Amino acid sequence: MPPRRAVTGRSREPRQRFAEELRLLRTGSGASLRQLGERLGWDWSLFGEMEKGETLGGPEVVQALDQHYGTPGLLLALWEVALGDKTQFKEQYRRYMGLEAEAVSLSHFGVSVLPGLFQTQDYATELLAAGGFSGDDLTQQVEARLGRQALLEGAGAPRFRTILSETALRTALRDGQAWRAQLEYVAELATWPNVVVHVLPFSAGLHGLDSTDLSFLRQPDGRTVAYTENAYRGDLIEENGPVERLHRAYDEIRDMALSPAESRKFILDLLEATPCNPST
């Protein structure tokens, strides 16, 4: 395996620096893209796209490359720097939004907050303000989020399935009336013909997605892409292997969740126990 190289003397643009290192490591090893794909078990075209800077790949494939090339931690560190580039994050999120608009079905798991497609104006405002938005930026972000909700309406609306953790349903807004309105909206959406709501109760215990919000977008051509998100960043995942692994984790959580009928009753029981007084 080629020795680990110093990170100096290369491109200073994070995305290009990562792509350059991948290309140099592979050509230095004498392997073709197809041979690399066969050895690591990923589609060789993914490595070509990564070497051209068209995609960053996911952490699993980057860790596999680090192990393959004998460069423990180098590629993963470069990947994290490239992923943290603000321009790339914005590009990735814009691409996610485009894929969401084209999706024929969507699946979601909310570990701590309700999905954007379910949020009332009060909920979106408080959540985005907590994330650092203010003034005109906050107004624009809330309007954009609420505008996306039209995706679920109309004759051609895609099917949307969400699994909501009990945490997401018990983390209330400061205003009691606003929180009641939010729960009422979730209960209403659960009756829509194209919407399926599951609740994952505390009693389900630990699971493989206990720190990750996750969405799957099935595209008209049959492929599925995934999007994972936490408080600090979001990752768009398009490679078949990682998407399939995330889907297995999602299916396991779905098996532990309440049925749609039980879930709506759970939400209505929460609503009944929620005080009407805004100051409570």
Side-chain angles (χ1 to χ4, degrees), residues 120-136:
T120 62
Q121 182 171 346
D122 286 329
Y123 189 100
T125 300
E126 188 168 319
L127 180 64
L128 290 166
F133 289 98
S134 61
D136 290 342

Side-chain angles (χ1 to χ4, degrees), residues 220-237:
D221 61 5
R223 67 192 179 97
T224 298
V225 300
Y227 188 76
T228 60
E229 189 173 18
N230 58 34
Y232 301 100
R233 76 183 191 195
D235 296 325
L236 183 64
I237 303 167

Side-chain angles (χ1 to χ4, degrees), residues 114-124 145-153 160 162 164 169 173 177-192 195 197 264 267-268 271:
L114 301 176
L117 295 176
F118 275 29
Q119 293 172 14
T120 62
Q121 182 171 346
D122 286 329
Y123 189 100
R145 180 159 297 186
L146 297 180
R148 287 170 54 203
Q149 295 177 358
L151 180 71
L152 296 181
E153 301 173 0
F160 181 76
T162 184
L164 304 176
L169 289 166
L173 297 176
Q177 286 185 339
W179 180 236
R180 282 186 61 84
Q182 176 64 80
L183 289 177
E184 288 171 352
Y185 188 49
V186 174
E188 176 192 339
L189 287 169
T191 67
W192 288 19
V195 174
V197 176
R264 188 166 188 272
I267 296 166
L268 292 174
L271 184 57

Side-chain angles (χ1 to χ4, degrees), residues 52-273:
K52 289 186 288 187
E54 294 175 356
T55 183
L56 292 172
E60 293 178 342
V61 68
V62 177
Q63 288 173 328
L65 287 166
D66 255 334
Q67 183 176 3
H68 175 71
Y69 289 127
T71 55
L74 171 64
L75 293 178
L76 190 60
L78 293 174
W79 176 82
E80 289 176 342
V81 171
L83 192 67
D85 180 69
K86 292 183 179 179
T87 300
Q88 168 59 19
F89 174 80
K90 290 178 181 178
E91 290 177 358
Q92 202 173 68
Y93 190 67
R94 281 197 296 268
R95 175 158 171 74
Y96 167 80
M97 297 299 292
L99 291 168
E100 182 186 70
E102 295 295 323
V104 296
S105 69
L106 304 93
S107 301
H108 167 268
F109 171 63
V111 67
S112 59
V113 298
L114 301 176
L117 295 176
F118 275 29
Q119 293 172 14
T120 62
Q121 182 171 346
D122 286 329
Y123 189 100
T125 300
E126 188 168 319
L127 180 64
L128 290 166
F133 289 98
S134 61
D136 290 342
D137 286 343
L138 176 59
T139 300
Q140 291 172 4
Q141 289 294 325
V142 171
E143 289 177 351
R145 180 159 297 186
L146 297 180
R148 287 170 54 203
Q149 295 177 358
L151 180 71
L152 296 181
E153 301 173 0
R159 184 175 177 83
F160 181 76
R161 180 187 300 275
T162 184
I163 304 171
L164 304 176
S165 72
E166 187 171 342
T167 299
L169 289 166
R170 290 192 181 276
T171 306
L173 297 176
R174 295 183 180 91
D175 185 313
Q177 286 185 339
W179 180 236
R180 282 186 61 84
Q182 176 64 80
L183 289 177
E184 288 171 352
Y185 188 49
V186 174
E188 176 192 339
L189 287 169
T191 67
W192 288 19
N194 61 315
V195 174
V196 179
V197 176
H198 297 274
V199 172
L200 183 71
F202 290 143
S203 59
L206 296 175
H207 53 81
L209 294 174
D210 57 7
S211 62
T212 304
D213 278 7
L214 173 64
S215 296
F216 294 105
L217 311 175
R218 189 163 68 85
Q219 299 299 292
D221 61 5
R223 67 192 179 97
T224 298
V225 300
Y227 188 76
T228 60
E229 189 173 18
N230 58 34
Y232 301 100
R233 76 183 191 195
D235 296 325
L236 183 64
I237 303 167
E238 302 186 64
E239 298 80 42
N240 289 337
V243 169
E244 179 59 28
R245 284 187 282 275
L246 285 170
H247 227 307
R248 286 199 294 269
Y250 182 86
D251 287 345
E252 290 173 0
I253 291 173
R254 180 178 167 182
D255 290 343
M256 294 187 291
L258 302 178
S259 71
E262 293 170 331
S263 297
R264 188 166 188 272
K265 183 180 184 302
F266 185 98
I267 296 166
L268 292 174
D269 288 345
L270 277 181
L271 184 57
E272 186 176 343

